[in-house]
Amino acid sequence: MNLGEAFPEELREDHASDCLEVGGVVRLYDVNAAKVKILVVVGVNHESNSIACCYINSEVNQNVNFTAELKGLQHAISTATYDFLSHDSYLDCSKITVHSKSDVLDQIRDNPSDCKGALLPADKTVVLSNLKRATTLSAFKKRPFGLA
């Protein structure tokens, strides 16, 4: 039995739902990255039951983020502010990944520790602003999540 099973179903459901609000931080296996990543929820599409997320990376990849615009879309976050980080990191606002909300909810219900917390309001504001101005994302991709 894992720790999540020790809590009532209603409590696990509330915890998982809260984590998938905009600004929520989730640890999950991401098929796009082909590894476990920490992601931040940046949008919710209730019609398609999906969430948009940004990666948290330990460093800025200079091979990919070589222009001033791309570097400007990397938002620094620190271990002093976020205890779920093992080292200072960057929130990549140059792209989003889309995940099934139901699948992520199931994962968090089964493994409540995969919900790592939430961004502070100031960081959330910067991240959403960066996403809205990012020319690396089409309006078509942003619009369903309220980012256009």
Side-chain angles (χ1 to χ4, degrees), residues 6-27:
F7 293 97
E9 180 68 30
E10 184 178 327
L11 187 60
R12 287 187 288 161
E13 183 70 35
D14 290 346
H15 174 72
S17 294
D18 290 347
C19 193
L20 295 187
E21 296 294 322
V22 172
V25 180
V26 182
R27 179 185 179 274

Side-chain angles (χ1 to χ4, degrees), residues 19-108:
C19 193
L20 295 187
E21 296 294 322
V22 172
V25 180
V26 182
R27 179 185 179 274
L28 59 90
Y29 181 83
D30 183 84
V31 294
N32 299 309
K35 62 182 178 179
V36 174
K37 295 288 288 182
I38 296 179
L39 303 116
V40 174
V41 178
V42 295
V44 178
N45 182 333
H46 297 287
E47 288 180 23
S48 67
N49 192 36
S50 57
I51 57 172
C53 299
C54 288
Y55 293 130
I56 294 178
N57 296 314
S58 56
E59 57 188 35
V60 176
N61 184 338
Q62 299 299 329
N63 296 321
V64 176
N65 299 298
F66 52 87
T67 68
E69 178 189 9
L70 289 173
K71 288 178 184 170
L73 294 173
Q74 308 300 310
H75 180 64
I77 54 177
S78 74
T79 56
T81 307
Y82 297 105
D83 62 2
F84 57 81
L85 294 174
S86 54
H87 37 75
D88 293 346
S89 299
Y90 297 86
L91 220 159
D92 184 357
C93 302
S94 69
K95 59 186 163 223
I96 57 175
T97 61
V98 178
H99 301 271
S100 161
K101 186 175 179 183
S102 299
D103 290 349
V104 179
L105 274 170
D106 289 344
Q107 178 178 328
I108 295 170

